[in-house]
Amino acid sequence: MNRSFNKSQPLRNPNCNAVEVKSKYGAEFRRFSLDRVKPGKFEEFYKLILHIHRIANMEVLIGYADVHGDLLPINNDDNFCKAVSTAHPLLRIFIQKQEEVDFSNFGNNTLTRKKKAVVTLRNSDINRKRPHIRIGMPQDFRPVSSIIDVDILPESHRRVRLFRHGSEKPLGFYIRDGTSVRVTPHGLEKVPGIFISRMVPGGLAESTGLLAVNDEVLEVNGIEVTGKSLDQVTDMMIANSHNLIVTVKPVNQRNNVVRSSRMSGSSGQSSDSGGSTGYPSLSVATVREMSSGAHSYHDDLESDEDGDIVIESNIKRPSQRSNASPASNASRTHHQTPTAPPVRTASSSPPSRPVSVISTASFQSQTSLNGGSHEQHTQPLHHSSNPALRHSNGSLHKILSSLKTDPRHSLALPKGGVEEDGTVITL
Amino acid sequence: MKRFRRHAHESQRERLKQELFHFNKTVEHGFPHQPSALGYSPSLQLLAIGTRSGAIKLYGAPGVEFMGLHDENAAVTQVHFMPHQVELVTLLDDNSLHMWTLRGHKGISELLEIGRFMLTGPPGAPPSVTSVTAVLAHSSGELLLLGTEGGHVFVVEVPGFRELEERNISLDQITNSIPDDYLGRRNLEHVEALVENPINPSQVVIGYGRGLMVIWDLEKKNAVQHLPATQQLESMWWTEDGSHILSSHSDGSYCRWRVGGPEEEEEEEEKSDIPYGHFPCKAISKIVQLPTEEGPPFLLFNGGMPRASYGDRHCITVIHGKTHVALDFTSRIIDFFVIRSGPQHTGDPSALVVLVEEEVVVIDLQTEGWPVIQTPYLVPLHSSAITCSHHVSAIPLKLWERIITSGELQNAHYSKKPWPIMGGQNLAPDPPQRDLLLTGHEDGTVRFWDASGVCLKPMYTLRTATAFHTDADPNDNMNPSAEGEWPPFRKVGCFDPYSDDPRLGIQKIHLCKYSGHLAVAGTAGQILMLEPNDEAAEHTVETKVVDLLQGQEGFRWKGHTRLNVREDPVEFPAGFQPFTLVQCQPPAVVTALSLHSEWKLVAFGTSHGFGLFDYQQNNNVFVRCTLNPSDQLALEGPLSRVKSIKKSLRQSFRRIRRSRVSLRKHHANNAAKIQEANARMEAELAEMELAPVQRKIEARSSDDSFTGLVRTLYFADTFLSDSTHHTPSLWAGTNGGCVFAYMIRLPAIEHRADEPVTAQPAKEIQLMHRAPVLGIVVLDGHGAPLPEPLEVAHDLARSPDMQASHHVVVTSEEQFKVFTLPKVSSKMKLKLTAVDGSRVRRVGVAWFGSSRTEDYGESGLVVLTNQGDVHVVSLPHVKMQVHYPCIRREDVSGIASCVFTRQGQGKHGSRPSLSGVLPRADLSVLRQAST
């Protein structure tokens, strides 16, 4: 299975609209062709594969070798289309039985290990540190906490989405009443506001670094909190806790993303001053696909609690019953949500582990190793191995180069002082 | 019944909404919160009560009530009716005066504020000059005399509040007239009281705080007589014949002064007396003397008790000839007045009306023994703390009469005299139906109130404590009036906030109005099944112990123990008598209760689980433990935690005391140390106060405490297994967002008594948001809620549609969700908390009739949120219809105790009402009127 492909096949097909396909299942090869322009649906392709290999009634996973030699999965129309259109010249398909799938192969450069020249150029830093960055299967992708809607918000505001799916981490923050100063036509006016008052060490809010003590809460899941009491806002946040989107006015406005142009503005990136602290505070480097963000969380809003668990006529013992484990609950939820766009992060993780922990581990070391400017280069390259990101590849580089600074990188707040800060800072 | 299609006819829907829903705040019931002033008009026969929150309430004949609210949020300190007028004047503690009047409007009188006034002194004068301390509404009805802190008396013309400066009586005028030998002439202090001469309206007596009283002639503008009392003055009373003035003083004495010409000054002090003397006494704050046709006069005064031994009593002493009684009230006396008989209200005293902080007590002074007259309104609902309430509308006449009869037997000790305050006329039509409000109290009583009309009338009191052995001996007399006791106390009033045994507290009530079966559940896990009996009977109560833990091992219940049931036969008075007791083990508070009288089943739940009991066969059908075994708090009972807090508090106090004591012991350089310690304590306190209020943001989890607490139980005849066979079912919702459904198999009617009832689990729904489940309702094929048990059998509801598929509506604190049946899948939902941050506190089903047509109406969910708003949510589509602000957000207890009524009659004008019970103060019934 792990045989590497180290030499390119000669171009055999003179018909430039047809893509030659070489499909391998176990030790068997099949060859056929597909239309490069109209490859059809993945469903049909899947049936065709099963038919050609005569392996009906079997759950298989289809993978292909991309131009870089990475083994990437084909499991929907998009990546099928991508695979066909980028096949150069030959589309190499690898079929694995579902139960035998070795995920560690995917996204790994095992297929291209001998293409040293290319690989080292692109991935040298990462490889040296961590040779086994793995890309998960799309069904293992799930949304992680991120900054969203950067393109539609004022620069002084930040919309943060905290995802708890599958995570055992508490949301981990406190809010309080306070006063904020607003600019009105009649001059400055003091108005009551809601502020973040405390972070729980190791909680989602603290570990993602997306929120900070004394950030003013402006909206909860798109609903303004003006005029609402502390208890109301608390209840709103708890009611939305499975997919909490908080719009804040960060207390530290120096780290705002400075946008050079409208078009590149939709990407938010955050990292944290975490290197200086004791606990794994991390930077989730999140590069979002620009179009999907705004509406995707509305989808999530709609679907969020079809995760109710219903047991029909099922006699269970009381000891098992009352605490249906949150993990299973969450995973059900996940399966029922419309396929989350597989673009959130490049890091793969075993399904049950909290996403942000993984990303913390992988990026933190990187941060400490590399200087800020270098980091910006390594990340996009790393991401580029994700097939789903590929099509937005061009603009991605533009975005990243347009980022003047890493937003939170110069965060001057000492961690200890931030933890329990009762004073009201109004900006 | 029509059905609505979504999105279609939006405007039509809007119109329909206006026809269906209309919100009226109608009446507030019960006793006003924190009364602060009392007034009475003998000519109008109206009683006025002012409250600390600035409300003014007028009461006349039963059903005649007026309410006004001052714009200022200041306490009403005095209320005075203008003699023989319809106006009344209120003084607020912000020194503003307000004039109110009753004005006829379309045949109905309204209470209106017609003027306000603030006394203005000369420029540069200190505020005390104009700070009003005494008000006299002059008998002419045109003048108001205002005594002030500075000692001046201002004269104001009403109703226009025009200051008559030339008639003012300045302090200088008074001091100039005082004889030089009066010791206190340098400082007379404030005007404490102003009283008019009953036979000469031009004379008033001005009483100063220091004790001097001056009779002043308003016409001649000179002092007529000086009454030089030496003690601090509290009040004055001018006897009806004008011959004497009574003054009461802060040392507990009163003096009788003879009023005569100035030439008779030498013998003015006729009599001085300290009624409860020898030892220092408290002040007599008000004194009244009223003559009788024949015989000695009535002397009534407030206070004057010996300071050391009875200083904490709230007493009014009534002396009539040889009869001397100190009426002993359970709360602070605000004020009192005496109603006199006769057409001009000048005859013999007939009734004493006392306003104390928690109730109004009326004493019949014409009947031997001075019995109490039962009040038709202003009844303190909270005579013992209200722990729960239950509303039943449209009570069948038969049950109604039985309750009334039982109640009459209980009220034998009240006076037979009619209610003496009969001002006004109640124009409200007779109530269309008989509504009953049941309140459960901390002392184990259940009170039945007639809630059909405007006022809430007490009907009957059920005592559940008789079934149990309690620490308090039931034969213990409330009035141990030992012979020869001095002062001669007599306890009056029913306000009794002290419960003998908190375990007796009533937590849940469910009454079936058709069968008369009543289920009452309490704090110590007891569920009593009762039925009405018109005669007293002696029988034993059968007890069934139900173990809700089902053998969960390894824990110790640290809460209260169960109540001990009397095993010997107990004599129960006529009324509701218990026949079975279901005792939950562990004896935790019963948190949910539901009764199905048609199936003869009762379901109950605690923080440990829920069970189903067959009260026909006296047999427990099944028990389901809902407890999360790791939930230590629920396992052990809440009391253990309270204890530990108490303990730690006590310890910390001891520590503080010890440190202080030790500081005192080491006398050397202790001053500095004490200062240091004090400074440290202050700093700590300041720190505590400065710490901001913060709220933790955390998702609910299955590990939270009390997730297994059962919040709601519901019986339904619906489809659980397949869509062709409907069966009885029991639904339960927990604090952790879990819903359980059990299928119940009832034996055929002819075998109901001998074949067992069985049940098996059918469904389990875990809501993902895990918010507490507050209500479960099954909708029939038409989308209408299933009728109540026996309703169809009594032809009072149409049978539910069993053809089309049913739905179940689950209301949690955060949202409303509709699931299909028999296959449970989510169909619709409405989010509340996620959108506006308010949480559902109470939910009920109500029927809304259209105001335009008789034949149209629809059911909806009525919801009260923790913000005090009432929302109406349509069924079956769970769409928000209307919402109204209803109860103040801060009024937590009011919100917590709100009950919704299910429905009125099917007629036009049917009005489901909801009532908010304010356990400490008043109960307000708000009508959700459909007209």
Side-chain angles (χ1 to χ4, degrees):
Chain A
M1 275 304 296
N2 284 342
R3 186 165 80 89
S4 305
F5 283 68
N6 51 4
K7 58 176 191 260
S8 41
Q9 303 287 320
L11 184 93
R12 284 197 202 150
N13 201 332
N15 182 354
C16 57
N17 263 348
V19 176
E20 190 184 346
V21 182
K22 183 179 173 187
S23 168
K24 179 174 181 273
Y25 172 64
E28 285 183 56
F29 288 92
R30 296 282 190 279
R31 285 173 185 273
F32 54 96
S33 68
L34 290 167
D35 190 318
R36 187 184 293 270
V37 183
K38 279 181 259 170
K41 298 268 176 209
F42 168 70
E43 283 287 299
E44 298 159 11
F45 175 69
Y46 185 79
K47 282 181 192 142
L48 178 71
I49 291 282
L50 293 188
H51 176 73
I52 285 176
H53 282 277
R54 296 176 197 280
I55 46 171
N57 304 325
M58 197 184 284
E59 290 285 301
V60 296
L61 242 144
I62 303 170
Y64 75 103
D66 80 337
V67 281
H68 309 291
D70 293 340
L71 176 61
L72 298 174
I74 301 180
N75 51 10
N76 59 35
D77 290 348
D78 285 345
N79 53 19
F80 171 55
C81 187
K82 172 118 307 207
V84 173
S85 59
T86 58
H88 180 73
L90 177 76
L91 178 61
R92 286 176 305 196
I93 300 288
F94 302 91
I95 299 161
Q96 289 170 286
K97 277 194 210 164
Q98 189 91 56
E99 57 269 29
E100 293 172 357
V101 174
D102 182 1
F103 288 107
S104 63
N105 286 337
F106 280 95
N108 206 333
N109 44 11
T110 44
L111 289 173
T112 61
R113 193 156 285 161
K114 292 192 181 154
K115 283 191 172 176
K116 269 274 159 63
V118 188
V119 168
T120 44
L121 219 173
R122 293 170 187 271
N123 288 346
S124 56
D125 292 320
I126 294 170
N127 280 343
R128 205 173 296 153
K129 183 71 196 155
R130 206 165 282 264
H132 281 280
I133 300 279
R134 296 174 304 185
I135 298 174
M137 293 304 292
Q139 66 256 36
D140 295 334
F141 283 103
R142 92 211 73 184
V144 293
S145 305
S146 56
I147 297 179
I148 59 171
D149 292 349
V150 183
D151 50 343
I152 55 171
L153 285 176
E155 285 181 13
S156 59
H157 295 178
R158 175 183 296 166
R159 185 166 291 165
V160 170
R161 165 195 235 176
L162 293 176
F163 259 115
R164 275 186 78 254
H165 285 310
S167 164
E168 290 291 338
K169 275 193 184 184
L171 288 169
F173 65 98
Y174 289 73
I175 56 171
R176 61 165 171 85
D177 279 316
T179 1
S180 113
V181 178
R182 293 276 155 76
V183 183
T184 66
H186 321 289
L188 291 178
E189 199 184 328
K190 272 194 177 179
V191 289
I194 304 287
F195 294 82
I196 292 172
S197 63
R198 189 157 91 92
M199 295 277 166
V200 177
L204 204 56
E206 191 258 4
S207 62
T208 57
L210 299 176
L211 297 173
V213 170
N214 290 327
D215 283 0
E216 183 184 356
V217 177
L218 303 171
E219 289 176 8
V220 176
N221 287 55
I223 291 154
E224 280 193 44
V225 303
T226 337
K228 293 204 156 52
S229 70
L230 182 64
D231 287 333
Q232 275 178 288
V233 177
T234 307
D235 288 340
M236 283 168 77
M237 287 187 171
I238 290 173
N240 287 307
S241 56
H242 44 266
N243 177 22
L244 181 61
I245 298 162
V246 194
T247 309
V248 294
K249 191 166 134 193
V251 62
N252 189 341
Q253 291 281 335
R254 280 175 293 161
N255 297 316
N256 293 326
V257 178
V258 179
R259 297 195 292 263
S260 54
S261 73
R262 230 21 237 158
M263 164 256 144
S264 63
S266 68
S267 169
Q269 190 178 21
S270 86
S271 95
D272 197 66
S273 59
S276 61
T277 70
Y279 22 85
S281 71
L282 73 157
S283 54
V284 175
T286 330
V287 180
R288 288 181 55 258
E289 184 185 31
M290 18 222 99
S291 55
S292 69
H295 58 243
S296 74
Y297 78 75
H298 293 302
D299 292 347
D300 291 341
L301 270 182
E302 285 315 306
S303 65
D304 54 7
E305 64 219 78
D306 292 322
D308 298 343
I309 300 170
V310 177
I311 301 169
E312 304 260 358
S313 310
N314 206 352
I315 303 164
K316 295 182 85 184
R317 295 267 63 81
S319 57
Q320 300 169 325
R321 158 236 8 106
S322 72
N323 44 354
S325 93
S328 74
N329 188 1
S331 64
R332 276 165 191 263
T333 310
H334 174 68
H335 289 306
Q336 287 178 16
T337 48
T339 358
V343 289
R344 308 264 164 214
T345 180
S347 65
S348 87
S349 61
S352 63
R353 293 194 51 194
V355 177
S356 48
V357 173
I358 297 301
S359 45
T360 300
S362 54
F363 291 122
Q364 191 190 9
S365 55
Q366 190 184 324
T367 315
S368 55
L369 251 180
N370 307 317
S373 63
H374 195 86
E375 181 188 353
Q376 283 181 12
H377 286 290
T378 58
Q379 282 177 10
L381 292 180
H382 170 55
H383 281 291
S384 69
S385 59
N386 184 336
L389 263 182
R390 183 72 46 76
H391 60 96
S392 61
N393 228 352
S395 60
L396 192 73
H397 282 283
K398 237 183 280 172
I399 294 159
L400 286 167
S401 54
S402 74
L403 287 171
K404 292 250 165 36
T405 61
D406 194 354
R408 286 243 166 178
H409 195 71
S410 59
L411 211 86
L413 295 170
K415 251 296 141 58
V418 171
E419 279 317 309
E420 279 268 20
D421 194 346
T423 57
V424 182
I425 300 174
T426 51
L427 285 170
Chain B
M1 179 173 170
K2 271 185 269 172
R3 292 190 66 181
F4 290 104
R5 266 157 242 101
R6 285 175 73 184
H7 305 303
H9 314 302
E10 279 294 325
S11 59
Q12 193 189 338
R13 180 71 202 154
E14 280 306 311
R15 209 196 65 232
L16 247 167
K17 271 192 204 172
Q18 287 178 0
E19 283 167 15
L20 287 168
F21 311 117
H22 180 65
F23 183 72
N24 273 341
K25 233 181 175 174
T26 52
V27 213
E28 286 200 6
H29 276 309
F31 191 74
H33 187 48
Q34 292 187 313
S36 54
L38 174 72
Y40 179 66
S41 166
S43 53
L44 296 175
Q45 288 214 49
L46 284 178
L47 165 84
I49 293 177
T51 73
R52 257 188 250 172
S53 53
I56 171 97
K57 296 182 184 189
L58 267 60
Y59 300 89
V64 177
E65 293 180 15
F66 302 97
M67 189 184 149
L69 191 65
H70 293 92
D71 294 336
E72 294 85 353
N73 189 20
V76 180
T77 54
Q78 295 188 35
V79 177
H80 299 272
F81 279 93
M82 298 304 294
H84 315 295
Q85 313 281 319
V86 289
E87 278 88 30
L88 70 154
V89 173
T90 55
L91 171 67
L92 268 53
D93 70 354
D94 66 353
N95 204 37
S96 63
L97 285 152
H98 300 258
M99 176 71 72
W100 296 80
T101 193
L102 288 167
R103 191 166 288 168
H105 174 70
K106 290 185 195 164
I108 303 161
S109 296
E110 287 178 314
L111 182 64
L112 290 172
E113 188 179 350
I114 54 167
R116 60 183 63 200
F117 173 69
M118 188 84 94
L119 206 55
T120 48
S128 68
V129 168
T130 54
S131 166
V132 178
T133 51
V135 176
L136 170 64
H138 194 260
S139 62
S140 64
E142 289 162 359
L143 293 181
L144 214 54
L145 276 72
L146 308 171
T148 66
E149 181 105 42
H152 305 278
V153 176
F154 293 85
V155 182
V156 174
E157 192 183 68
V158 283
F161 281 124
R162 195 166 64 88
E163 282 185 72
L164 303 173
E165 273 179 49
E166 70 285 355
R167 301 184 68 170
N168 288 353
I169 309 158
S170 75
L171 191 59
D172 293 338
Q173 283 172 286
I174 300 288
T175 38
N176 290 339
S177 72
I178 300 173
D180 294 339
D181 57 339
Y182 182 68
L183 287 170
R185 64 172 302 193
R186 284 290 141 242
N187 184 7
L188 297 174
E189 291 191 354
H190 62 277
V191 178
E192 178 65 51
L194 283 165
V195 181
E196 182 183 338
N197 187 342
I199 54 165
N200 181 1
S202 66
Q203 279 187 355
V204 293
V205 58
I206 307 164
Y208 288 94
R210 192 46 86 75
L212 181 74
M213 290 163 277
V214 178
I215 299 174
W216 186 267
D217 194 303
L218 290 170
E219 302 298 325
K220 298 177 192 145
K221 292 182 189 150
N222 63 349
V224 178
Q225 190 179 354
H226 297 92
L227 309 172
T230 48
Q231 288 292 329
Q232 284 279 331
L233 186 71
E234 288 285 329
S235 79
M236 298 186 297
W237 178 261
W238 208 322
T239 56
E240 201 181 38
D241 57 3
S243 64
H244 290 89
I245 288 172
L246 271 70
S247 64
S248 73
H249 301 276
S250 62
D251 64 342
S253 67
Y254 69 90
C255 304
R256 189 185 304 269
W257 310 81
R258 192 180 160 73
V259 180
E263 67 278 3
E264 292 175 52
E265 262 176 53
E266 60 275 6
E267 45 136 14
E268 70 247 349
E269 187 170 347
E270 207 170 68
K271 185 190 167 196
S272 172
D273 187 20
I274 302 179
Y276 298 109
H278 305 305
F279 296 107
C281 290
K282 297 192 81 174
I284 292 176
S285 54
K286 180 171 179 174
I287 188 159
V288 169
Q289 186 187 310
L290 289 166
T292 52
E293 230 27 61
E294 44 211 57
F298 272 91
L299 180 70
L300 306 102
F301 59 87
N302 170 10
M305 285 291 134
R307 184 176 296 276
S309 35
Y310 300 110
D312 55 344
R313 301 278 183 117
H314 312 285
C315 289
I316 286 181
T317 303
V318 184
I319 302 168
H320 177 237
K322 292 246 180 316
T323 325
H324 181 144
V325 171
L327 300 167
D328 187 2
F329 296 88
T330 51
S331 56
R332 198 169 62 85
I333 294 158
I334 308 293
D335 203 353
F336 69 94
F337 64 84
V338 179
I339 296 173
R340 303 171 69 180
S341 56
Q344 296 304 309
H345 312 290
T346 50
D348 287 0
S350 62
L352 164 68
V353 180
V354 185
L355 173 67
V356 293
E357 223 162 33
E358 305 289 353
E359 60 187 318
V360 162
V361 180
V362 179
I363 311 260
D364 175 8
L365 294 177
Q366 287 181 324
T367 307
E368 194 68 27
W370 295 340
V372 173
I373 301 175
Q374 199 176 13
T375 47
Y377 49 79
L378 282 173
V379 189
L381 289 168
H382 56 293
S383 53
S384 165
I386 293 180
T387 41
C388 68
S389 49
H390 177 69
H391 189 284
V392 192
S393 38
I395 305 281
L397 186 62
K398 202 175 157 209
L399 179 65
W400 189 258
E401 283 170 346
R402 293 178 85 173
I403 296 170
I404 288 178
T405 318
S406 319
E408 278 166 357
L409 291 172
Q410 294 181 324
N411 293 336
H413 61 281
Y414 283 113
S415 166
K416 303 282 181 292
K417 281 266 157 61
W419 181 247
I421 303 168
M422 291 305 289
Q425 193 187 350
N426 186 3
L427 297 173
D430 279 344
Q433 58 182 25
R434 291 167 295 273
D435 286 359
L436 196 62
L437 179 74
L438 282 76
T439 54
H441 297 260
E442 200 186 16
D443 60 357
T445 57
V446 177
R447 279 158 217 251
F448 290 62
W449 307 85
D450 175 359
S452 6
V454 181
C455 38
L456 213 51
K457 274 180 282 193
M459 290 175 76
Y460 163 71
T461 304
L462 162 71
R463 285 172 214 286
T464 61
T466 38
F468 304 99
H469 286 289
T470 52
D471 300 340
D473 185 355
N475 299 323
D476 191 11
N477 194 349
M478 275 285 282
N479 306 327
S481 50
E483 279 300 309
E485 190 200 22
W486 187 259
F489 288 118
R490 190 188 129 197
K491 277 234 180 278
V492 281
C494 61
F495 177 71
D496 177 21
Y498 308 106
S499 168
D500 302 320
D501 190 338
R503 295 177 299 170
L504 288 168
I506 306 296
Q507 296 295 334
K508 294 286 163 192
I509 303 169
H510 198 139
L511 171 70
C512 171
K513 59 187 176 189
Y514 304 109
S515 65
H517 283 134
L518 173 69
V520 168
T523 306
Q526 75 271 32
I527 298 116
L528 274 174
M529 293 301 306
L530 306 103
E531 59 189 349
N533 186 346
D534 296 331
E535 271 150 45
E538 192 179 78
H539 54 86
T540 45
V541 179
E542 199 169 326
T543 310
K544 285 275 173 181
V545 178
V546 174
D547 180 18
L548 284 171
L549 284 176
Q550 290 184 298
Q552 287 225 25
E553 297 288 321
F555 92 99
R556 203 157 60 88
W557 169 254
K558 292 176 184 164
H560 45 240
T561 55
R562 53 182 270 202
L563 287 159
N564 292 321
V565 188
R566 290 168 172 263
E567 274 139 23
D568 44 315
V570 185
E571 169 91 23
F572 292 103
F576 284 89
Q577 296 174 348
F579 58 92
T580 298
L581 170 75
V582 182
Q583 177 63 53
C584 298
Q585 269 305 5
V589 176
V590 177
T591 53
L593 181 73
S594 188
L595 175 74
H596 201 293
S597 44
E598 199 170 344
W599 301 338
K600 301 228 175 349
L601 295 173
V602 63
F604 51 90
T606 72
S607 54
H608 300 106
F610 61 96
L612 181 66
F613 187 82
D614 170 8
Y615 63 80
Q616 177 155 19
Q617 293 180 29
N618 265 348
N619 184 31
N620 196 53
V621 179
F622 78 92
V623 165
R624 172 67 180 258
C625 178
T626 55
L627 187 72
N628 179 349
S630 63
D631 190 351
Q632 208 62 25
L633 219 53
L635 268 175
E636 292 177 349
L639 276 182
S640 56
R641 195 155 150 251
V642 176
K643 259 183 209 159
S644 69
I645 290 171
K646 256 189 197 163
K647 204 174 166 190
S648 69
L649 264 178
R650 208 180 303 133
Q651 278 170 347
S652 56
F653 274 118
R654 277 196 192 130
R655 212 175 305 130
I656 291 170
R657 210 177 302 145
R658 211 179 300 134
S659 70
R660 280 185 172 171
V661 167
S662 62
L663 279 171
R664 217 170 291 144
K665 272 179 188 164
H666 304 291
H667 218 272
N669 64 22
N670 62 349
K673 269 189 185 168
I674 287 173
Q675 263 180 7
E676 197 180 295
N678 282 344
R680 201 172 53 226
M681 263 172 65
E682 262 166 38
E684 275 169 18
L685 272 175
E687 204 169 273
M688 269 162 67
E689 277 162 20
L690 277 180
V693 182
Q694 46 179 8
R695 295 277 181 275
K696 188 175 190 177
I697 305 300
E698 211 40 78
R700 293 188 164 91
S701 104
S702 59
D703 298 331
D704 290 347
S705 285
F706 293 105
T707 49
L709 189 142
V710 178
R711 291 293 291 264
T712 183
L713 290 160
Y714 176 73
F715 285 107
D717 187 2
T718 188
F719 302 93
L720 276 186
S721 52
D722 56 72
S723 46
T724 47
H725 302 93
H726 58 94
T727 56
S729 64
L730 171 67
W731 296 74
T734 72
N735 224 18
C738 205
V739 175
F740 302 94
Y742 273 71
M743 202 147 63
I744 304 171
R745 206 196 66 82
L746 286 170
I749 307 229
E750 56 272 27
H751 297 295
R752 180 65 183 82
D754 40 71
E755 273 182 31
V757 179
T758 56
Q760 67 178 97
K763 313 271 179 205
E764 240 179 86
I765 308 167
Q766 172 64 59
L767 300 177
M768 192 205 157
H769 63 284
R770 291 186 183 277
V773 176
L774 299 183
I776 300 169
V777 181
V778 172
L779 307 177
D780 72 2
H782 290 308
L786 295 183
E788 278 185 274
L790 290 173
E791 226 172 29
V792 176
H794 283 72
D795 265 348
L796 288 157
R798 73 182 88 192
S799 348
D801 177 6
M802 295 311 228
Q803 304 306 315
S805 63
H806 285 194
H807 291 97
V808 59
V809 184
V810 175
T811 306
S812 76
E813 275 192 6
E814 291 183 352
Q815 51 180 263
F816 308 87
K817 224 167 166 178
V818 183
F819 294 95
T820 57
L821 285 176
K823 170 96 178 69
V824 176
S825 73
S826 169
K827 198 179 170 202
M828 272 166 291
K829 68 164 173 267
L830 173 69
K831 289 183 173 188
L832 185 71
T833 315
V835 175
D836 74 352
S838 57
R839 279 199 293 191
V840 180
R841 275 281 170 268
R842 296 276 151 176
V843 64
V845 176
W847 170 260
F848 296 95
S850 169
S851 58
R852 201 172 51 86
T853 52
E854 300 262 328
D855 54 350
Y856 183 72
E858 55 186 76
S859 286
L861 290 176
V862 188
V863 175
L864 181 75
T865 69
N866 64 345
Q867 304 298 312
D869 292 350
V870 170
H871 297 261
V872 178
V873 175
S874 71
L875 290 174
H877 297 301
V878 289
K879 293 269 173 278
M880 199 65 88
Q881 300 296 306
V882 282
H883 74 276
Y884 310 98
C886 172
I887 307 180
R888 278 182 307 121
R889 176 196 298 185
E890 294 77 22
D891 188 0
V892 178
S893 54
I895 292 172
S897 56
C898 173
V899 289
F900 296 110
T901 65
R902 188 173 161 99
Q903 62 191 71
Q905 295 170 329
K907 288 198 284 185
H908 166 78
S910 65
R911 37 179 81 170
S913 59
L914 65 112
S915 15
V917 187
L918 289 78
R920 228 198 78 76
D922 50 16
L923 170 124
S924 53
V925 169
L926 313 162
R927 288 258 149 103
Q928 190 92 36
S930 52
T931 44

